Amino acid sequence: MTITLWRHARLASFVGPQPWGWVDDGALLVQGDTLSWVGAEADLPTALHADAEVDLQGALVTPGLIDAHTHLVYGGDRAAEFEQRLQGTRYEAIARAGGGIRSTVAATRAASGAQLFDSAAARARCLMAEGVTTVEIKSGYGLSAEDEARCLAVARRLGRELPLTVRTTSLAAHALPDEYAGRPDDYIADAITWLAQQHAAGLVDAVDAFCDTIGFTPAQTGRIFDAARRLGLPVKLHAEQLSDQGGAALAARCGALSCDHLEHLSPAGIAAMRAAGTVATLLPGAYYFLRDTQLPPVQALRDAGVPIAVATDHNPGSAPCLSLLLMLNMACTLFRLTPEEAWRGVTVNAARALGLADRGTLAAGQRADFVAWHAEHPREMAYRFGHNPCHRVICGGVERTPA
Ligand code: DI6
Ligand code: FE
C-alpha cells in the first residue's frame, strides 16, 4: 500500500471548532484509500514514513464535494416544457396534464441501457469536473418493476466504471404512471414488491418518495417507508416542496436521513427533524428554475440546529443543473446561507444526508477524497459563479485524470 504525504496546503477541513476547520500550512498523509494523518505541517510526527511526497505550494484543499440529491439517470429532456413554462403554464399544471415527470418516464422507458448509461455518465463527468467525489442518484423515471431496476443498475454501473462513489436511492413513489391512473394505492403496493426485489439484487442504498399534491399522500408515503424499514433501508423524502403535507415530520418519525426541498416546511416539521437528527437538504436550483417565491425557513432551521445540506437536484424538469459550485452561490444569494454553511452543505452535512460517516471532512480515518483548488479561500467559490477553479481531485487516494 503506497503512502503519500501531501504537503503545504491551506486546509478547509470542516473539523474542529474554528471556522472552516482552517489550517494555514497543513499536510495530509494518504495510506491506500484513507487519510491516516491530517494536521499542521508544524505538528507532523517526526517518525512519519511516506513513499512519496507532493508539495501543494500553498494550494487550497477541501474535502471532495458530495452531491446528495440527483436524478441523473433518465431519457430525453424537457426543453419544450421549459418554453411552455416561459409562456405562463405552471409546473403543476403541466404535470397534471400528463407532461412533466411522466413525459420523462416515456422517454426513459424508450431509451436503451447504453443510452441511459452514456447520458448519465456525461452528466456525472460534469459534476466530477468540479470536484464531486460522491453522488447520490435516484431512480423514479422508470416507474415499472423493470424500468426502475434498469435505472438503478445504470447508477450502480456508473459507480463501478467512473472514479466516483455512487449511492443509489429507489424513488418509485415519484409519480403515478399512466397505467395506474386512478389507482395510486395499487401502485404503492406494487412498488413495495419491486423494492424488495431491488434490495435483493443489491441495487438500493436508500428509499425516497415525493410527498406532495402532484405526488403521493403522507399515508402512501408511510406505506413505502414501512416497507423500507422492514428491509432495513434508510429513508429520505421530497418534502414540502410545493405545499405543506406534513411529510417532513412523517419522515423524521421514520428516522429519515434527510428531508429535501422544504420550501413549505412548518415549525412542527422542523421540531421533528431536529429530534430525529434529520438533515435538511436545500435545493436552490429547483427553487430558481421554477421561479419559486416561497423561501425555505433557513433561519428557523439554523436556530433549531438542524444540519443543512445543499445539492443540485439535477433532473430534467425542475433543475437541469450540473454544477454543484453554482449551488454554493445560489444557496448564499437566494437562501442567505453563509459561504461556510453552503460549503458544509456540500461536504460534511451532505455526507450525513447519505448516512456516510467516512467522508465529508479532512481527518484521519476518513476516505482520501479531496480537492486542490486554484483559489485562496473556499468563500471564493460561493462568490463567483460560472467559474470552475478545480485543480486536482483525489478520490479514494487516487488522483483522477481530467475528463
Ligand atoms: N421534485 C423535483 O424537483 C423533481 N422531482 C420531485 O419530486 C422534479 C422531477 C421532474 O420534474 O422531472
Ligand atoms: Fe429531486
mmCIF file with all atom_site columns, all heavy atoms in Angstrom, residues 272-292:
data_model
loop_
_atom_site.group_PDB
_atom_site.id
_atom_site.type_symbol
_atom_site.label_atom_id
_atom_site.label_alt_id
_atom_site.label_comp_id
_atom_site.label_asym_id
_atom_site.label_entity_id
_atom_site.label_seq_id
_atom_site.pdbx_PDB_ins_code
_atom_site.Cartn_x
_atom_site.Cartn_y
_atom_site.Cartn_z
_atom_site.occupancy
_atom_site.B_iso_or_equiv
_atom_site.pdbx_formal_charge
_atom_site.auth_seq_id
_atom_site.auth_comp_id
_atom_site.auth_asym_id
_atom_site.auth_atom_id
_atom_site.pdbx_PDB_model_num
ATOM 1   N N   . ALA A 1 272 ? -39.602 18.109 14.477  1.00 0.00 ? 272 ALA A N   1
ATOM 2   C CA  . ALA A 1 272 ? -39.466 16.654 14.291  1.00 0.00 ? 272 ALA A CA  1
ATOM 3   C C   . ALA A 1 272 ? -38.118 16.311 13.675  1.00 0.00 ? 272 ALA A C   1
ATOM 4   O O   . ALA A 1 272 ? -37.480 15.327 14.061  1.00 0.00 ? 272 ALA A O   1
ATOM 5   C CB  . ALA A 1 272 ? -40.608 16.134 13.403  1.00 0.00 ? 272 ALA A CB  1
ATOM 6   N N   . MET A 1 273 ? -37.658 17.134 12.742  1.00 0.00 ? 273 MET A N   1
ATOM 7   C CA  . MET A 1 273 ? -36.352 16.878 12.116  1.00 0.00 ? 273 MET A CA  1
ATOM 8   C C   . MET A 1 273 ? -35.225 17.049 13.128  1.00 0.00 ? 273 MET A C   1
ATOM 9   O O   . MET A 1 273 ? -34.272 16.282 13.167  1.00 0.00 ? 273 MET A O   1
ATOM 10  C CB  . MET A 1 273 ? -36.138 17.819 10.919  1.00 0.00 ? 273 MET A CB  1
ATOM 11  C CG  . MET A 1 273 ? -37.015 17.458 9.729   1.00 0.00 ? 273 MET A CG  1
ATOM 12  S SD  . MET A 1 273 ? -36.890 18.650 8.391   1.00 0.00 ? 273 MET A SD  1
ATOM 13  C CE  . MET A 1 273 ? -35.196 18.373 7.854   1.00 0.00 ? 273 MET A CE  1
ATOM 14  N N   . ARG A 1 274 ? -35.367 18.076 13.958  1.00 0.00 ? 274 ARG A N   1
ATOM 15  C CA  . ARG A 1 274 ? -34.343 18.289 14.987  1.00 0.00 ? 274 ARG A CA  1
ATOM 16  C C   . ARG A 1 274 ? -34.262 17.079 15.922  1.00 0.00 ? 274 ARG A C   1
ATOM 17  O O   . ARG A 1 274 ? -33.187 16.554 16.211  1.00 0.00 ? 274 ARG A O   1
ATOM 18  C CB  . ARG A 1 274 ? -34.671 19.559 15.785  1.00 0.00 ? 274 ARG A CB  1
ATOM 19  C CG  . ARG A 1 274 ? -33.549 19.940 16.737  1.00 0.00 ? 274 ARG A CG  1
ATOM 20  C CD  . ARG A 1 274 ? -33.941 20.099 18.202  1.00 0.00 ? 274 ARG A CD  1
ATOM 21  N NE  . ARG A 1 274 ? -35.019 20.993 18.455  1.00 0.00 ? 274 ARG A NE  1
ATOM 22  C CZ  . ARG A 1 274 ? -34.906 22.174 19.037  1.00 0.00 ? 274 ARG A CZ  1
ATOM 23  N NH1 . ARG A 1 274 ? -33.712 22.641 19.333  1.00 0.00 ? 274 ARG A NH1 1
ATOM 24  N NH2 . ARG A 1 274 ? -35.969 22.870 19.299  1.00 0.00 ? 274 ARG A NH2 1
ATOM 25  N N   . ALA A 1 275 ? -35.430 16.613 16.351  1.00 0.00 ? 275 ALA A N   1
ATOM 26  C CA  . ALA A 1 275 ? -35.460 15.496 17.303  1.00 0.00 ? 275 ALA A CA  1
ATOM 27  C C   . ALA A 1 275 ? -34.855 14.228 16.697  1.00 0.00 ? 275 ALA A C   1
ATOM 28  O O   . ALA A 1 275 ? -34.226 13.436 17.392  1.00 0.00 ? 275 ALA A O   1
ATOM 29  C CB  . ALA A 1 275 ? -36.903 15.235 17.739  1.00 0.00 ? 275 ALA A CB  1
ATOM 30  N N   . ALA A 1 276 ? -35.032 14.061 15.387  1.00 0.00 ? 276 ALA A N   1
ATOM 31  C CA  . ALA A 1 276 ? -34.551 12.830 14.748  1.00 0.00 ? 276 ALA A CA  1
ATOM 32  C C   . ALA A 1 276 ? -33.135 12.957 14.197  1.00 0.00 ? 276 ALA A C   1
ATOM 33  O O   . ALA A 1 276 ? -32.562 11.975 13.729  1.00 0.00 ? 276 ALA A O   1
ATOM 34  C CB  . ALA A 1 276 ? -35.505 12.444 13.618  1.00 0.00 ? 276 ALA A CB  1
ATOM 35  N N   . GLY A 1 277 ? -32.574 14.186 14.205  1.00 0.00 ? 277 GLY A N   1
ATOM 36  C CA  . GLY A 1 277 ? -31.250 14.379 13.606  1.00 0.00 ? 277 GLY A CA  1
ATOM 37  C C   . GLY A 1 277 ? -31.282 14.298 12.091  1.00 0.00 ? 277 GLY A C   1
ATOM 38  O O   . GLY A 1 277 ? -30.275 13.989 11.447  1.00 0.00 ? 277 GLY A O   1
ATOM 39  N N   . THR A 1 278 ? -32.448 14.599 11.513  1.00 0.00 ? 278 THR A N   1
ATOM 40  C CA  . THR A 1 278 ? -32.597 14.540 10.052  1.00 0.00 ? 278 THR A CA  1
ATOM 41  C C   . THR A 1 278 ? -31.980 15.779 9.401   1.00 0.00 ? 278 THR A C   1
ATOM 42  O O   . THR A 1 278 ? -32.171 16.897 9.876   1.00 0.00 ? 278 THR A O   1
ATOM 43  C CB  . THR A 1 278 ? -34.106 14.460 9.705   1.00 0.00 ? 278 THR A CB  1
ATOM 44  O OG1 . THR A 1 278 ? -34.636 13.263 10.294  1.00 0.00 ? 278 THR A OG1 1
ATOM 45  C CG2 . THR A 1 278 ? -34.339 14.443 8.215   1.00 0.00 ? 278 THR A CG2 1
ATOM 46  N N   . VAL A 1 279 ? -31.257 15.571 8.312   1.00 0.00 ? 279 VAL A N   1
ATOM 47  C CA  . VAL A 1 279 ? -30.619 16.686 7.591   1.00 0.00 ? 279 VAL A CA  1
ATOM 48  C C   . VAL A 1 279 ? -31.660 17.377 6.696   1.00 0.00 ? 279 VAL A C   1
ATOM 49  O O   . VAL A 1 279 ? -32.496 16.712 6.079   1.00 0.00 ? 279 VAL A O   1
ATOM 50  C CB  . VAL A 1 279 ? -29.455 16.165 6.715   1.00 0.00 ? 279 VAL A CB  1
ATOM 51  C CG1 . VAL A 1 279 ? -28.866 17.277 5.849   1.00 0.00 ? 279 VAL A CG1 1
ATOM 52  C CG2 . VAL A 1 279 ? -28.380 15.521 7.588   1.00 0.00 ? 279 VAL A CG2 1
ATOM 53  N N   . ALA A 1 280 ? -31.590 18.707 6.623   1.00 0.00 ? 280 ALA A N   1
ATOM 54  C CA  . ALA A 1 280 ? -32.414 19.478 5.684   1.00 0.00 ? 280 ALA A CA  1
ATOM 55  C C   . ALA A 1 280 ? -31.588 19.703 4.420   1.00 0.00 ? 280 ALA A C   1
ATOM 56  O O   . ALA A 1 280 ? -30.593 20.425 4.456   1.00 0.00 ? 280 ALA A O   1
ATOM 57  C CB  . ALA A 1 280 ? -32.789 20.819 6.299   1.00 0.00 ? 280 ALA A CB  1
ATOM 58  N N   . THR A 1 281 ? -31.972 19.062 3.334   1.00 0.00 ? 281 THR A N   1
ATOM 59  C CA  . THR A 1 281 ? -31.227 19.254 2.085   1.00 0.00 ? 281 THR A CA  1
ATOM 60  C C   . THR A 1 281 ? -31.935 20.308 1.238   1.00 0.00 ? 281 THR A C   1
ATOM 61  O O   . THR A 1 281 ? -33.073 20.104 0.797   1.00 0.00 ? 281 THR A O   1
ATOM 62  C CB  . THR A 1 281 ? -31.107 17.924 1.311   1.00 0.00 ? 281 THR A CB  1
ATOM 63  O OG1 . THR A 1 281 ? -30.421 16.980 2.147   1.00 0.00 ? 281 THR A OG1 1
ATOM 64  C CG2 . THR A 1 281 ? -30.312 18.116 0.026   1.00 0.00 ? 281 THR A CG2 1
ATOM 65  N N   . LEU A 1 282 ? -31.270 21.441 1.049   1.00 0.00 ? 282 LEU A N   1
ATOM 66  C CA  . LEU A 1 282 ? -31.852 22.550 0.301   1.00 0.00 ? 282 LEU A CA  1
ATOM 67  C C   . LEU A 1 282 ? -31.418 22.468 -1.163  1.00 0.00 ? 282 LEU A C   1
ATOM 68  O O   . LEU A 1 282 ? -30.272 22.114 -1.460  1.00 0.00 ? 282 LEU A O   1
ATOM 69  C CB  . LEU A 1 282 ? -31.422 23.889 0.910   1.00 0.00 ? 282 LEU A CB  1
ATOM 70  C CG  . LEU A 1 282 ? -31.751 24.065 2.392   1.00 0.00 ? 282 LEU A CG  1
ATOM 71  C CD1 . LEU A 1 282 ? -31.338 25.463 2.870   1.00 0.00 ? 282 LEU A CD1 1
ATOM 72  C CD2 . LEU A 1 282 ? -33.246 23.843 2.655   1.00 0.00 ? 282 LEU A CD2 1
ATOM 73  N N   . LEU A 1 283 ? -32.342 22.798 -2.053  1.00 0.00 ? 283 LEU A N   1
ATOM 74  C CA  . LEU A 1 283 ? -32.120 22.614 -3.487  1.00 0.00 ? 283 LEU A CA  1
ATOM 75  C C   . LEU A 1 283 ? -32.384 23.934 -4.211  1.00 0.00 ? 283 LEU A C   1
ATOM 76  O O   . LEU A 1 283 ? -33.446 24.120 -4.828  1.00 0.00 ? 283 LEU A O   1
ATOM 77  C CB  . LEU A 1 283 ? -33.028 21.483 -3.994  1.00 0.00 ? 283 LEU A CB  1
ATOM 78  C CG  . LEU A 1 283 ? -32.874 20.165 -3.212  1.00 0.00 ? 283 LEU A CG  1
ATOM 79  C CD1 . LEU A 1 283 ? -33.954 19.166 -3.571  1.00 0.00 ? 283 LEU A CD1 1
ATOM 80  C CD2 . LEU A 1 283 ? -31.493 19.558 -3.460  1.00 0.00 ? 283 LEU A CD2 1
ATOM 81  N N   . PRO A 1 284 ? -31.428 24.861 -4.144  1.00 0.00 ? 284 PRO A N   1
ATOM 82  C CA  . PRO A 1 284 ? -31.687 26.190 -4.701  1.00 0.00 ? 284 PRO A CA  1
ATOM 83  C C   . PRO A 1 284 ? -31.861 26.193 -6.213  1.00 0.00 ? 284 PRO A C   1
ATOM 84  O O   . PRO A 1 284 ? -32.517 27.098 -6.756  1.00 0.00 ? 284 PRO A O   1
ATOM 85  C CB  . PRO A 1 284 ? -30.448 27.002 -4.283  1.00 0.00 ? 284 PRO A CB  1
ATOM 86  C CG  . PRO A 1 284 ? -29.394 26.002 -3.944  1.00 0.00 ? 284 PRO A CG  1
ATOM 87  C CD  . PRO A 1 284 ? -30.121 24.777 -3.470  1.00 0.00 ? 284 PRO A CD  1
ATOM 88  N N   . GLY A 1 285 ? -31.347 25.176 -6.907  1.00 0.00 ? 285 GLY A N   1
ATOM 89  C CA  . GLY A 1 285 ? -31.503 25.123 -8.369  1.00 0.00 ? 285 GLY A CA  1
ATOM 90  C C   . GLY A 1 285 ? -32.960 24.940 -8.763  1.00 0.00 ? 285 GLY A C   1
ATOM 91  O O   . GLY A 1 285 ? -33.443 25.576 -9.716  1.00 0.00 ? 285 GLY A O   1
ATOM 92  N N   . ALA A 1 286 ? -33.694 24.100 -8.031  1.00 0.00 ? 286 ALA A N   1
ATOM 93  C CA  . ALA A 1 286 ? -35.112 23.877 -8.335  1.00 0.00 ? 286 ALA A CA  1
ATOM 94  C C   . ALA A 1 286 ? -35.929 25.116 -7.962  1.00 0.00 ? 286 ALA A C   1
ATOM 95  O O   . ALA A 1 286 ? -36.835 25.525 -8.692  1.00 0.00 ? 286 ALA A O   1
ATOM 96  C CB  . ALA A 1 286 ? -35.627 22.650 -7.590  1.00 0.00 ? 286 ALA A CB  1
ATOM 97  N N   . TYR A 1 287 ? -35.586 25.716 -6.839  1.00 0.00 ? 287 TYR A N   1
ATOM 98  C CA  . TYR A 1 287 ? -36.255 26.955 -6.408  1.00 0.00 ? 287 TYR A CA  1
ATOM 99  C C   . TYR A 1 287 ? -36.107 28.026 -7.494  1.00 0.00 ? 287 TYR A C   1
ATOM 100 O O   . TYR A 1 287 ? -37.063 28.692 -7.886  1.00 0.00 ? 287 TYR A O   1
ATOM 101 C CB  . TYR A 1 287 ? -35.619 27.409 -5.091  1.00 0.00 ? 287 TYR A CB  1
ATOM 102 C CG  . TYR A 1 287 ? -36.051 28.763 -4.600  1.00 0.00 ? 287 TYR A CG  1
ATOM 103 C CD1 . TYR A 1 287 ? -37.151 28.895 -3.753  1.00 0.00 ? 287 TYR A CD1 1
ATOM 104 C CD2 . TYR A 1 287 ? -35.365 29.915 -4.985  1.00 0.00 ? 287 TYR A CD2 1
ATOM 105 C CE1 . TYR A 1 287 ? -37.556 30.144 -3.297  1.00 0.00 ? 287 TYR A CE1 1
ATOM 106 C CE2 . TYR A 1 287 ? -35.764 31.165 -4.541  1.00 0.00 ? 287 TYR A CE2 1
ATOM 107 C CZ  . TYR A 1 287 ? -36.858 31.272 -3.697  1.00 0.00 ? 287 TYR A CZ  1
ATOM 108 O OH  . TYR A 1 287 ? -37.255 32.501 -3.259  1.00 0.00 ? 287 TYR A OH  1
ATOM 109 N N   . TYR A 1 288 ? -34.899 28.155 -7.996  1.00 0.00 ? 288 TYR A N   1
ATOM 110 C CA  . TYR A 1 288 ? -34.598 29.152 -9.028  1.00 0.00 ? 288 TYR A CA  1
ATOM 111 C C   . TYR A 1 288 ? -35.327 28.848 -10.326 1.00 0.00 ? 288 TYR A C   1
ATOM 112 O O   . TYR A 1 288 ? -35.990 29.704 -10.908 1.00 0.00 ? 288 TYR A O   1
ATOM 113 C CB  . TYR A 1 288 ? -33.080 29.178 -9.248  1.00 0.00 ? 288 TYR A CB  1
ATOM 114 C CG  . TYR A 1 288 ? -32.623 29.762 -10.551 1.00 0.00 ? 288 TYR A CG  1
ATOM 115 C CD1 . TYR A 1 288 ? -32.543 31.146 -10.726 1.00 0.00 ? 288 TYR A CD1 1
ATOM 116 C CD2 . TYR A 1 288 ? -32.262 28.943 -11.618 1.00 0.00 ? 288 TYR A CD2 1
ATOM 117 C CE1 . TYR A 1 288 ? -32.128 31.685 -11.934 1.00 0.00 ? 288 TYR A CE1 1
ATOM 118 C CE2 . TYR A 1 288 ? -31.850 29.473 -12.824 1.00 0.00 ? 288 TYR A CE2 1
ATOM 119 C CZ  . TYR A 1 288 ? -31.778 30.834 -12.989 1.00 0.00 ? 288 TYR A CZ  1
ATOM 120 O OH  . TYR A 1 288 ? -31.381 31.362 -14.183 1.00 0.00 ? 288 TYR A OH  1
ATOM 121 N N   . PHE A 1 289 ? -35.223 27.583 -10.784 1.00 0.00 ? 289 PHE A N   1
ATOM 122 C CA  . PHE A 1 289 ? -35.709 27.237 -12.116 1.00 0.00 ? 289 PHE A CA  1
ATOM 123 C C   . PHE A 1 289 ? -37.232 27.261 -12.186 1.00 0.00 ? 289 PHE A C   1
ATOM 124 O O   . PHE A 1 289 ? -37.809 27.544 -13.224 1.00 0.00 ? 289 PHE A O   1
ATOM 125 C CB  . PHE A 1 289 ? -35.174 25.853 -12.499 1.00 0.00 ? 289 PHE A CB  1
ATOM 126 C CG  . PHE A 1 289 ? -35.306 25.519 -13.958 1.00 0.00 ? 289 PHE A CG  1
ATOM 127 C CD1 . PHE A 1 289 ? -34.619 26.258 -14.919 1.00 0.00 ? 289 PHE A CD1 1
ATOM 128 C CD2 . PHE A 1 289 ? -36.090 24.460 -14.383 1.00 0.00 ? 289 PHE A CD2 1
ATOM 129 C CE1 . PHE A 1 289 ? -34.730 25.946 -16.268 1.00 0.00 ? 289 PHE A CE1 1
ATOM 130 C CE2 . PHE A 1 289 ? -36.205 24.140 -15.733 1.00 0.00 ? 289 PHE A CE2 1
ATOM 131 C CZ  . PHE A 1 289 ? -35.522 24.880 -16.672 1.00 0.00 ? 289 PHE A CZ  1
ATOM 132 N N   . LEU A 1 290 ? -37.901 26.958 -11.051 1.00 0.00 ? 290 LEU A N   1
ATOM 133 C CA  . LEU A 1 290 ? -39.370 27.025 -11.024 1.00 0.00 ? 290 LEU A CA  1
ATOM 134 C C   . LEU A 1 290 ? -39.851 28.427 -10.651 1.00 0.00 ? 290 LEU A C   1
ATOM 135 O O   . LEU A 1 290 ? -41.045 28.667 -10.536 1.00 0.00 ? 290 LEU A O   1
ATOM 136 C CB  . LEU A 1 290 ? -39.936 25.992 -10.034 1.00 0.00 ? 290 LEU A CB  1
ATOM 137 C CG  . LEU A 1 290 ? -39.686 24.522 -10.391 1.00 0.00 ? 290 LEU A CG  1
ATOM 138 C CD1 . LEU A 1 290 ? -40.304 23.602 -9.344  1.00 0.00 ? 290 LEU A CD1 1
ATOM 139 C CD2 . LEU A 1 290 ? -40.224 24.186 -11.777 1.00 0.00 ? 290 LEU A CD2 1
ATOM 140 N N   . ARG A 1 291 ? -38.913 29.341 -10.473 1.00 0.00 ? 291 ARG A N   1
ATOM 141 C CA  . ARG A 1 291 ? -39.225 30.730 -10.068 1.00 0.00 ? 291 ARG A CA  1
ATOM 142 C C   . ARG A 1 291 ? -40.120 30.730 -8.822  1.00 0.00 ? 291 ARG A C   1
ATOM 143 O O   . ARG A 1 291 ? -41.095 31.487 -8.729  1.00 0.00 ? 291 ARG A O   1
ATOM 144 C CB  . ARG A 1 291 ? -39.871 31.507 -11.221 1.00 0.00 ? 291 ARG A CB  1
ATOM 145 C CG  . ARG A 1 291 ? -38.978 31.532 -12.448 1.00 0.00 ? 291 ARG A CG  1
ATOM 146 C CD  . ARG A 1 291 ? -39.512 32.476 -13.494 1.00 0.00 ? 291 ARG A CD  1
ATOM 147 N NE  . ARG A 1 291 ? -39.335 33.860 -13.106 1.00 0.00 ? 291 ARG A NE  1
ATOM 148 C CZ  . ARG A 1 291 ? -40.161 34.848 -13.459 1.00 0.00 ? 291 ARG A CZ  1
ATOM 149 N NH1 . ARG A 1 291 ? -41.230 34.589 -14.180 1.00 0.00 ? 291 ARG A NH1 1
ATOM 150 N NH2 . ARG A 1 291 ? -39.919 36.076 -13.088 1.00 0.00 ? 291 ARG A NH2 1
ATOM 151 N N   . ASP A 1 292 ? -39.761 29.844 -7.910  1.00 0.00 ? 292 ASP A N   1
ATOM 152 C CA  . ASP A 1 292 ? -40.485 29.751 -6.649  1.00 0.00 ? 292 ASP A CA  1
ATOM 153 C C   . ASP A 1 292 ? -40.292 31.073 -5.885  1.00 0.00 ? 292 ASP A C   1
ATOM 154 O O   . ASP A 1 292 ? -39.296 31.771 -6.095  1.00 0.00 ? 292 ASP A O   1
ATOM 155 C CB  . ASP A 1 292 ? -39.898 28.581 -5.844  1.00 0.00 ? 292 ASP A CB  1
ATOM 156 C CG  . ASP A 1 292 ? -40.862 28.036 -4.812  1.00 0.00 ? 292 ASP A CG  1
ATOM 157 O OD1 . ASP A 1 292 ? -41.845 28.735 -4.502  1.00 0.00 ? 292 ASP A OD1 1
ATOM 158 O OD2 . ASP A 1 292 ? -40.621 26.927 -4.315  1.00 0.00 ? 292 ASP A OD2 1
#
